[in-house]
Amino acid sequence: DFKKVEKLAQAYTSANCFSAENGGIYAIVENGSVFYDTNNSILEFVCDTSQGHGHNDGGHTLAAVQKSCKEDGYNGKPVTLFLAEEDIFPSLDARRSAAEAWNSRTPQKKQSEINVKGGFDLFKGHLSKKYLQNIEWKQNQLDPNGKTIPKECSAAEFFTLLSVVIPETYSDKYDVPWLMGLHHAGPSNMLKYIDNSNQAPATYLSQAANHSNTILDLACHIQHSTAAGKAYFINRKRGPRDLKKSVTDRATYNIRAFDGTTAKGGLPKEIVLLIMRGLLHNKVIYDENTNKFSFVSNVQLDDLKELWDSKKDKVLKLISKFAEDNLATEYKNRPQSMIKSNTLLRKVCNILA
């Protein structure tokens, strides 16, 4: 792969921390063959390819370093070299299959990489403790009770929810259907925007960070108030067995909220996103002079909660009817596609106006 070798060679030539960023070279060598010549600073070892010796990983790195040294001269920068003597493997087949095992290592998830780089720090600084400790910022993160935080409370899902603060008029390119479509594109798409702070979505989300607690408080309130209320098509499971039963007898969703609590009978995350967009429609403005978002007419969190409580049954009935009529036929049972409907969004906004 010439392009990969070229890119690695450039990194080796220019970077001061290449060995910390690159996985290096892994090779199996003959027993007792490793020797370091201290007088000439040369490391020697013997490889016999017929015995399964040689490099099992790092071929591109090896080629890149050789290319760099040949074209630009030896620069003294280190490269990690991992050597394993043949006897650590029980058989010749084991040596030959070691490369497959080495190359099957699971790469670090994107959100873990962003977390290490400090890409979430701005948002973390605006969150209360109950949310900070119950959002999955890195892979396999545990909550305060020692339980693995589920994907529905991942950093990407948090950012998707925070996107409802962005007014639908702020850009011709990033309109409401596009914002609602972030769920359809998947968490990796949202993390891509966060990791590139020069792109508009990341910029606007950063400027909305001070409203993070309000958005999460409202989302948790929607989940728990729905769980404590009536049974609707949209907050009950829709498996083949469930659809044979009346709505009230169908299994409920056990939704993990962002504060670490569970809402038994709560809503799928996509529906919460739709409702939040409706609740905040025409209630948030963006000041281009200060680059800040604010709520109009001093709207407070309690006002939004009260609005939802007074209109929730009507909204859930509307969404349920729309889903019952269209989810399977028009959207292939994918709520993330359904919530992109302008018709549905307008009707929800009208109720919550």
Side-chain angles (χ1 to χ4, degrees):
D1 190 332
F2 175 78
K3 290 184 178 179
K4 182 177 290 187
V5 171
E6 182 71 24
K7 186 176 181 179
L8 284 170
Q10 291 175 0
Y12 178 68
T13 301
S14 59
N16 293 321
C17 52
F18 181 80
S19 61
E21 298 175 347
N22 179 270
I25 303 166
Y26 161 54
I28 300 174
V29 301
E30 186 177 290
N31 289 334
S33 69
V34 179
F35 172 73
Y36 182 66
D37 183 345
T38 56
N39 294 324
N40 298 301
S41 298
I42 295 176
L43 178 68
E44 300 177 355
F45 51 87
V46 177
C47 294
D48 182 350
T49 55
S50 68
Q51 296 301 310
H53 301 164
H55 72 78
N56 275 13
D57 187 61
H60 290 106
T61 298
L62 176 60
V65 172
Q66 291 173 330
K67 175 179 171 63
S68 175
C69 291
K70 182 179 179 180
E71 295 178 356
D72 303 310
Y74 173 69
N75 60 24
K77 293 181 180 179
V79 178
T80 303
L81 179 63
F82 183 92
L83 301 178
E85 293 192 339
E86 59 185 312
D87 272 0
I88 70 170
F89 300 98
S91 66
L92 177 59
D93 287 341
R95 289 176 216 155
R96 289 172 173 165
S97 63
E100 182 180 348
W102 188 271
N103 283 302
S104 65
R105 292 169 294 170
T106 303
Q108 184 170 242
K109 297 294 185 181
K110 186 68 175 178
Q111 69 181 40
S112 296
E113 293 179 358
I114 298 174
N115 186 58
V116 169
K117 292 189 298 184
F120 299 143
D121 288 356
L122 169 66
F123 301 93
K124 289 180 179 180
H126 287 282
L127 290 171
S128 62
K129 187 176 180 180
K130 65 179 178 180
Y131 295 129
L132 182 63
Q133 295 182 338
N134 285 288
I135 292 176
E136 185 202 41
W137 303 105
K138 58 185 178 180
Q139 190 177 6
N140 300 320
Q141 183 171 335
L142 303 180
D143 66 14
N145 296 317
K147 296 182 179 180
T148 302
I149 300 174
K151 301 303 178 187
E152 62 206 64
C153 292
S154 68
E157 296 296 350
F158 159 59
F159 292 123
T160 303
L161 190 60
L162 185 60
S163 71
V164 301
V165 174
I166 304 174
E168 62 269 29
T169 56
Y170 87 90
S171 170
D172 292 334
K173 182 177 180 181
Y174 304 113
D175 55 10
V176 165
W178 181 88
L179 291 168
M180 303 300 278
L182 289 175
H183 257 297
H184 190 274
S188 60
N189 192 56
M190 175 57 80
L191 291 176
K192 179 184 69 176
Y193 291 119
I194 293 298
D195 198 32
N196 187 348
S197 58
N198 294 324
Q199 292 195 358
T203 302
Y204 282 94
L205 285 171
S206 297
Q207 293 163 352
N210 62 311
H211 296 294
S212 296
N213 285 321
T214 299
I215 296 303
L216 292 174
D217 282 347
L218 187 56
C220 290
H221 178 77
I222 291 170
Q223 287 289 20
H224 286 293
S225 64
T226 302
K230 301 176 182 178
Y232 289 96
F233 178 84
I234 204 63
N235 72 331
R236 291 295 185 267
K237 293 186 177 181
R238 300 181 300 277
R241 292 185 179 180
D242 295 300
L243 293 176
K244 294 178 181 178
K245 305 175 183 177
S246 65
V247 171
T248 54
D249 292 332
R250 294 174 189 173
T252 59
Y253 293 106
N254 289 324
I255 303 296
R256 167 72 177 249
F258 280 99
D259 60 0
T261 59
T262 300
K264 185 177 177 61
L267 294 162
K269 59 188 179 183
E270 298 87 356
I271 305 305
V272 174
L273 189 67
L274 171 65
I275 293 169
M276 293 281 288
R277 183 63 264 172
L279 278 169
L280 297 179
H281 180 62
N282 289 335
K283 297 181 183 68
V284 177
I285 57 174
Y286 179 70
D287 189 331
E288 294 185 358
N289 295 318
T290 62
N291 294 325
K292 291 183 179 180
F293 290 95
S294 60
F295 288 94
V296 299
S297 304
N298 296 316
V299 171
Q300 301 295 318
L301 174 62
D302 287 342
D303 299 326
L304 296 171
K305 288 181 178 179
E306 184 178 340
L307 174 61
W308 167 246
D309 289 342
S310 66
K311 302 292 180 98
K312 69 178 179 181
D313 288 328
K314 192 172 182 179
V315 171
L316 292 174
K317 185 177 180 180
L318 166 71
I319 299 174
S320 291
K321 181 64 168 63
F322 188 93
E324 208 164 358
D325 293 342
N326 301 286
L327 186 57
T329 56
E330 297 294 327
Y331 302 104
K332 299 180 180 179
N333 284 314
R334 294 174 62 84
Q336 60 267 49
S337 296
M338 186 186 77
I339 64 171
K340 295 174 70 176
S341 166
N342 276 316
T343 299
L344 178 59
L345 178 61
R346 282 197 301 269
K347 290 181 178 180
V348 172
C349 289
N350 287 339
I351 295 175
L352 296 171

